[in-house]
mmCIF file with all atom_site columns, all heavy atoms in Angstrom:
data_model
loop_
_atom_site.group_PDB
_atom_site.id
_atom_site.type_symbol
_atom_site.label_atom_id
_atom_site.label_alt_id
_atom_site.label_comp_id
_atom_site.label_asym_id
_atom_site.label_entity_id
_atom_site.label_seq_id
_atom_site.pdbx_PDB_ins_code
_atom_site.Cartn_x
_atom_site.Cartn_y
_atom_site.Cartn_z
_atom_site.occupancy
_atom_site.B_iso_or_equiv
_atom_site.pdbx_formal_charge
_atom_site.auth_seq_id
_atom_site.auth_comp_id
_atom_site.auth_asym_id
_atom_site.auth_atom_id
_atom_site.pdbx_PDB_model_num
ATOM 1   N N   . TYR I 1 399 ? 8.526  -50.226 22.970 1.00 0.00 ? 416 TYR I N   1
ATOM 2   C CA  . TYR I 1 399 ? 9.796  -49.816 23.555 1.00 0.00 ? 416 TYR I CA  1
ATOM 3   C C   . TYR I 1 399 ? 9.547  -49.183 24.942 1.00 0.00 ? 416 TYR I C   1
ATOM 4   O O   . TYR I 1 399 ? 8.775  -48.247 25.071 1.00 0.00 ? 416 TYR I O   1
ATOM 5   C CB  . TYR I 1 399 ? 10.492 -48.780 22.658 1.00 0.00 ? 416 TYR I CB  1
ATOM 6   C CG  . TYR I 1 399 ? 10.998 -49.427 21.390 1.00 0.00 ? 416 TYR I CG  1
ATOM 7   C CD1 . TYR I 1 399 ? 10.292 -49.476 20.267 1.00 0.00 ? 416 TYR I CD1 1
ATOM 8   C CD2 . TYR I 1 399 ? 12.249 -50.062 21.359 1.00 0.00 ? 416 TYR I CD2 1
ATOM 9   C CE1 . TYR I 1 399 ? 10.752 -50.111 19.101 1.00 0.00 ? 416 TYR I CE1 1
ATOM 10  C CE2 . TYR I 1 399 ? 12.713 -50.712 20.221 1.00 0.00 ? 416 TYR I CE2 1
ATOM 11  C CZ  . TYR I 1 399 ? 11.917 -50.738 19.083 1.00 0.00 ? 416 TYR I CZ  1
ATOM 12  O OH  . TYR I 1 399 ? 12.366 -51.353 17.979 1.00 0.00 ? 416 TYR I OH  1
ATOM 13  N N   . GLU I 1 400 ? 10.261 -49.792 25.909 1.00 0.00 ? 417 GLU I N   1
ATOM 14  C CA  . GLU I 1 400 ? 10.096 -49.342 27.280 1.00 0.00 ? 417 GLU I CA  1
ATOM 15  C C   . GLU I 1 400 ? 10.971 -48.036 27.537 1.00 0.00 ? 417 GLU I C   1
ATOM 16  O O   . GLU I 1 400 ? 12.156 -48.054 27.307 1.00 0.00 ? 417 GLU I O   1
ATOM 17  C CB  . GLU I 1 400 ? 10.562 -50.467 28.244 1.00 0.00 ? 417 GLU I CB  1
ATOM 18  C CG  . GLU I 1 400 ? 10.279 -50.253 29.668 1.00 0.00 ? 417 GLU I CG  1
ATOM 19  C CD  . GLU I 1 400 ? 10.607 -51.532 30.474 1.00 0.00 ? 417 GLU I CD  1
ATOM 20  O OE1 . GLU I 1 400 ? 11.109 -52.514 29.906 1.00 0.00 ? 417 GLU I OE1 1
ATOM 21  O OE2 . GLU I 1 400 ? 10.344 -51.475 31.724 1.00 0.00 ? 417 GLU I OE2 1
ATOM 22  N N   . ARG I 1 401 ? 10.345 -46.914 27.839 1.00 0.00 ? 418 ARG I N   1
ATOM 23  C CA  . ARG I 1 401 ? 11.054 -45.673 28.230 1.00 0.00 ? 418 ARG I CA  1
ATOM 24  C C   . ARG I 1 401 ? 12.173 -45.365 27.265 1.00 0.00 ? 418 ARG I C   1
ATOM 25  O O   . ARG I 1 401 ? 13.321 -45.133 27.621 1.00 0.00 ? 418 ARG I O   1
ATOM 26  C CB  . ARG I 1 401 ? 11.637 -45.816 29.659 1.00 0.00 ? 418 ARG I CB  1
ATOM 27  C CG  . ARG I 1 401 ? 10.646 -46.267 30.681 1.00 0.00 ? 418 ARG I CG  1
ATOM 28  C CD  . ARG I 1 401 ? 11.209 -46.179 32.114 1.00 0.00 ? 418 ARG I CD  1
ATOM 29  N NE  . ARG I 1 401 ? 12.566 -46.719 32.223 1.00 0.00 ? 418 ARG I NE  1
ATOM 30  C CZ  . ARG I 1 401 ? 12.891 -47.996 32.319 1.00 0.00 ? 418 ARG I CZ  1
ATOM 31  N NH1 . ARG I 1 401 ? 11.894 -48.897 32.273 1.00 0.00 ? 418 ARG I NH1 1
ATOM 32  N NH2 . ARG I 1 401 ? 14.166 -48.402 32.406 1.00 0.00 ? 418 ARG I NH2 1
ATOM 33  N N   . ILE I 1 402 ? 11.866 -45.332 25.950 1.00 0.00 ? 419 ILE I N   1
ATOM 34  C CA  . ILE I 1 402 ? 12.845 -45.212 24.918 1.00 0.00 ? 419 ILE I CA  1
ATOM 35  C C   . ILE I 1 402 ? 13.700 -43.897 25.049 1.00 0.00 ? 419 ILE I C   1
ATOM 36  O O   . ILE I 1 402 ? 14.927 -43.907 24.909 1.00 0.00 ? 419 ILE I O   1
ATOM 37  C CB  . ILE I 1 402 ? 12.270 -45.229 23.502 1.00 0.00 ? 419 ILE I CB  1
ATOM 38  C CG1 . ILE I 1 402 ? 13.360 -45.528 22.495 1.00 0.00 ? 419 ILE I CG1 1
ATOM 39  C CG2 . ILE I 1 402 ? 11.440 -44.031 23.175 1.00 0.00 ? 419 ILE I CG2 1
ATOM 40  C CD1 . ILE I 1 402 ? 12.878 -46.029 21.138 1.00 0.00 ? 419 ILE I CD1 1
ATOM 41  N N   . GLU I 1 403 ? 13.062 -42.735 25.513 1.00 0.00 ? 420 GLU I N   1
ATOM 42  C CA  . GLU I 1 403 ? 13.806 -41.564 25.598 1.00 0.00 ? 420 GLU I CA  1
ATOM 43  C C   . GLU I 1 403 ? 14.778 -41.554 26.756 1.00 0.00 ? 420 GLU I C   1
ATOM 44  O O   . GLU I 1 403 ? 15.828 -41.015 26.759 1.00 0.00 ? 420 GLU I O   1
ATOM 45  C CB  . GLU I 1 403 ? 12.936 -40.320 25.620 1.00 0.00 ? 420 GLU I CB  1
ATOM 46  C CG  . GLU I 1 403 ? 12.036 -40.126 26.829 1.00 0.00 ? 420 GLU I CG  1
ATOM 47  C CD  . GLU I 1 403 ? 10.693 -40.803 26.681 1.00 0.00 ? 420 GLU I CD  1
ATOM 48  O OE1 . GLU I 1 403 ? 10.577 -41.790 25.832 1.00 0.00 ? 420 GLU I OE1 1
ATOM 49  O OE2 . GLU I 1 403 ? 9.815  -40.440 27.403 1.00 0.00 ? 420 GLU I OE2 1
ATOM 50  N N   . GLU I 1 404 ? 14.361 -42.315 27.833 1.00 0.00 ? 421 GLU I N   1
ATOM 51  C CA  . GLU I 1 404 ? 15.238 -42.450 29.042 1.00 0.00 ? 421 GLU I CA  1
ATOM 52  C C   . GLU I 1 404 ? 16.496 -43.286 28.613 1.00 0.00 ? 421 GLU I C   1
ATOM 53  O O   . GLU I 1 404 ? 17.595 -42.943 28.839 1.00 0.00 ? 421 GLU I O   1
ATOM 54  C CB  . GLU I 1 404 ? 14.532 -43.202 30.151 1.00 0.00 ? 421 GLU I CB  1
ATOM 55  C CG  . GLU I 1 404 ? 13.802 -42.295 31.114 1.00 0.00 ? 421 GLU I CG  1
ATOM 56  C CD  . GLU I 1 404 ? 13.048 -43.158 32.158 1.00 0.00 ? 421 GLU I CD  1
ATOM 57  O OE1 . GLU I 1 404 ? 13.663 -44.092 32.729 1.00 0.00 ? 421 GLU I OE1 1
ATOM 58  O OE2 . GLU I 1 404 ? 11.820 -42.964 32.299 1.00 0.00 ? 421 GLU I OE2 1
ATOM 59  N N   . LYS I 1 405 ? 16.246 -44.438 28.010 1.00 0.00 ? 422 LYS I N   1
ATOM 60  C CA  . LYS I 1 405 ? 17.325 -45.365 27.649 1.00 0.00 ? 422 LYS I CA  1
ATOM 61  C C   . LYS I 1 405 ? 18.294 -44.670 26.652 1.00 0.00 ? 422 LYS I C   1
ATOM 62  O O   . LYS I 1 405 ? 19.537 -44.760 26.835 1.00 0.00 ? 422 LYS I O   1
ATOM 63  C CB  . LYS I 1 405 ? 16.810 -46.636 27.094 1.00 0.00 ? 422 LYS I CB  1
ATOM 64  C CG  . LYS I 1 405 ? 16.175 -47.591 28.118 1.00 0.00 ? 422 LYS I CG  1
ATOM 65  C CD  . LYS I 1 405 ? 15.950 -48.967 27.619 1.00 0.00 ? 422 LYS I CD  1
ATOM 66  C CE  . LYS I 1 405 ? 15.431 -49.880 28.707 1.00 0.00 ? 422 LYS I CE  1
ATOM 67  N NZ  . LYS I 1 405 ? 15.260 -51.294 28.203 1.00 0.00 ? 422 LYS I NZ  1
ATOM 68  N N   . PHE I 1 406 ? 17.774 -44.001 25.595 1.00 0.00 ? 423 PHE I N   1
ATOM 69  C CA  . PHE I 1 406 ? 18.667 -43.286 24.701 1.00 0.00 ? 423 PHE I CA  1
ATOM 70  C C   . PHE I 1 406 ? 19.334 -42.082 25.393 1.00 0.00 ? 423 PHE I C   1
ATOM 71  O O   . PHE I 1 406 ? 20.474 -41.744 25.131 1.00 0.00 ? 423 PHE I O   1
ATOM 72  C CB  . PHE I 1 406 ? 17.889 -42.875 23.457 1.00 0.00 ? 423 PHE I CB  1
ATOM 73  C CG  . PHE I 1 406 ? 17.866 -43.865 22.335 1.00 0.00 ? 423 PHE I CG  1
ATOM 74  C CD1 . PHE I 1 406 ? 16.705 -44.379 21.845 1.00 0.00 ? 423 PHE I CD1 1
ATOM 75  C CD2 . PHE I 1 406 ? 19.038 -44.384 21.838 1.00 0.00 ? 423 PHE I CD2 1
ATOM 76  C CE1 . PHE I 1 406 ? 16.685 -45.331 20.829 1.00 0.00 ? 423 PHE I CE1 1
ATOM 77  C CE2 . PHE I 1 406 ? 19.070 -45.397 20.825 1.00 0.00 ? 423 PHE I CE2 1
ATOM 78  C CZ  . PHE I 1 406 ? 17.881 -45.827 20.308 1.00 0.00 ? 423 PHE I CZ  1
ATOM 79  N N   . GLY I 1 407 ? 18.544 -41.470 26.313 1.00 0.00 ? 424 GLY I N   1
ATOM 80  C CA  . GLY I 1 407 ? 19.141 -40.309 27.007 1.00 0.00 ? 424 GLY I CA  1
ATOM 81  C C   . GLY I 1 407 ? 20.359 -40.697 27.821 1.00 0.00 ? 424 GLY I C   1
ATOM 82  O O   . GLY I 1 407 ? 21.353 -39.979 27.884 1.00 0.00 ? 424 GLY I O   1
ATOM 83  N N   . ARG I 1 408 ? 20.321 -41.887 28.424 1.00 0.00 ? 425 ARG I N   1
ATOM 84  C CA  . ARG I 1 408 ? 21.431 -42.383 29.218 1.00 0.00 ? 425 ARG I CA  1
ATOM 85  C C   . ARG I 1 408 ? 22.600 -42.669 28.353 1.00 0.00 ? 425 ARG I C   1
ATOM 86  O O   . ARG I 1 408 ? 23.786 -42.752 28.802 1.00 0.00 ? 425 ARG I O   1
ATOM 87  C CB  . ARG I 1 408 ? 21.002 -43.618 29.987 1.00 0.00 ? 425 ARG I CB  1
ATOM 88  C CG  . ARG I 1 408 ? 20.286 -43.325 31.325 1.00 0.00 ? 425 ARG I CG  1
ATOM 89  C CD  . ARG I 1 408 ? 20.510 -44.439 32.320 1.00 0.00 ? 425 ARG I CD  1
ATOM 90  N NE  . ARG I 1 408 ? 19.890 -45.658 31.854 1.00 0.00 ? 425 ARG I NE  1
ATOM 91  C CZ  . ARG I 1 408 ? 18.596 -45.959 32.016 1.00 0.00 ? 425 ARG I CZ  1
ATOM 92  N NH1 . ARG I 1 408 ? 17.796 -45.126 32.598 1.00 0.00 ? 425 ARG I NH1 1
ATOM 93  N NH2 . ARG I 1 408 ? 18.090 -47.080 31.602 1.00 0.00 ? 425 ARG I NH2 1
ATOM 94  N N   . LEU I 1 409 ? 22.424 -42.780 27.058 1.00 0.00 ? 426 LEU I N   1
ATOM 95  C CA  . LEU I 1 409 ? 23.585 -42.978 26.124 1.00 0.00 ? 426 LEU I CA  1
ATOM 96  C C   . LEU I 1 409 ? 24.065 -41.654 25.613 1.00 0.00 ? 426 LEU I C   1
ATOM 97  O O   . LEU I 1 409 ? 24.973 -41.650 24.730 1.00 0.00 ? 426 LEU I O   1
ATOM 98  C CB  . LEU I 1 409 ? 23.120 -43.876 24.937 1.00 0.00 ? 426 LEU I CB  1
ATOM 99  C CG  . LEU I 1 409 ? 22.702 -45.333 25.279 1.00 0.00 ? 426 LEU I CG  1
ATOM 100 C CD1 . LEU I 1 409 ? 22.227 -46.070 24.027 1.00 0.00 ? 426 LEU I CD1 1
ATOM 101 C CD2 . LEU I 1 409 ? 23.852 -46.049 25.976 1.00 0.00 ? 426 LEU I CD2 1
ATOM 102 N N   . GLY I 1 410 ? 23.481 -40.582 26.111 1.00 0.00 ? 427 GLY I N   1
ATOM 103 C CA  . GLY I 1 410 ? 23.974 -39.246 25.693 1.00 0.00 ? 427 GLY I CA  1
ATOM 104 C C   . GLY I 1 410 ? 23.118 -38.589 24.555 1.00 0.00 ? 427 GLY I C   1
ATOM 105 O O   . GLY I 1 410 ? 23.428 -37.477 24.144 1.00 0.00 ? 427 GLY I O   1
ATOM 106 N N   . ALA I 1 411 ? 22.056 -39.251 24.180 1.00 0.00 ? 428 ALA I N   1
ATOM 107 C CA  . ALA I 1 411 ? 21.200 -38.666 23.120 1.00 0.00 ? 428 ALA I CA  1
ATOM 108 C C   . ALA I 1 411 ? 20.478 -37.481 23.715 1.00 0.00 ? 428 ALA I C   1
ATOM 109 O O   . ALA I 1 411 ? 20.068 -37.439 24.864 1.00 0.00 ? 428 ALA I O   1
ATOM 110 C CB  . ALA I 1 411 ? 20.152 -39.730 22.594 1.00 0.00 ? 428 ALA I CB  1
ATOM 111 N N   . LYS I 1 412 ? 20.264 -36.429 22.849 1.00 0.00 ? 429 LYS I N   1
ATOM 112 C CA  . LYS I 1 412 ? 19.462 -35.235 23.256 1.00 0.00 ? 429 LYS I CA  1
ATOM 113 C C   . LYS I 1 412 ? 18.062 -35.534 22.689 1.00 0.00 ? 429 LYS I C   1
ATOM 114 O O   . LYS I 1 412 ? 17.726 -35.321 21.529 1.00 0.00 ? 429 LYS I O   1
ATOM 115 C CB  . LYS I 1 412 ? 20.056 -34.016 22.617 1.00 0.00 ? 429 LYS I CB  1
ATOM 116 C CG  . LYS I 1 412 ? 21.410 -33.631 23.195 1.00 0.00 ? 429 LYS I CG  1
ATOM 117 C CD  . LYS I 1 412 ? 21.812 -32.216 22.804 1.00 0.00 ? 429 LYS I CD  1
ATOM 118 C CE  . LYS I 1 412 ? 23.218 -31.908 23.212 1.00 0.00 ? 429 LYS I CE  1
ATOM 119 N NZ  . LYS I 1 412 ? 24.123 -31.884 22.002 1.00 0.00 ? 429 LYS I NZ  1
ATOM 120 N N   . ILE I 1 413 ? 17.247 -36.204 23.523 1.00 0.00 ? 430 ILE I N   1
ATOM 121 C CA  . ILE I 1 413 ? 15.888 -36.638 23.134 1.00 0.00 ? 430 ILE I CA  1
ATOM 122 C C   . ILE I 1 413 ? 14.908 -36.331 24.207 1.00 0.00 ? 430 ILE I C   1
ATOM 123 O O   . ILE I 1 413 ? 15.203 -36.644 25.413 1.00 0.00 ? 430 ILE I O   1
ATOM 124 C CB  . ILE I 1 413 ? 15.967 -38.126 22.749 1.00 0.00 ? 430 ILE I CB  1
ATOM 125 C CG1 . ILE I 1 413 ? 14.610 -38.658 22.354 1.00 0.00 ? 430 ILE I CG1 1
ATOM 126 C CG2 . ILE I 1 413 ? 16.599 -38.985 23.836 1.00 0.00 ? 430 ILE I CG2 1
ATOM 127 C CD1 . ILE I 1 413 ? 14.676 -40.102 21.795 1.00 0.00 ? 430 ILE I CD1 1
#
Side-chain angles (χ1 to χ4, degrees):
Y416 288 92
E417 190 173 3
R418 308 188 316 279
I419 195 162
E420 66 272 22
E421 271 176 49
K422 287 194 177 182
F423 271 123
R425 277 209 295 279
L426 295 178
K429 294 192 187 109
I430 177 170

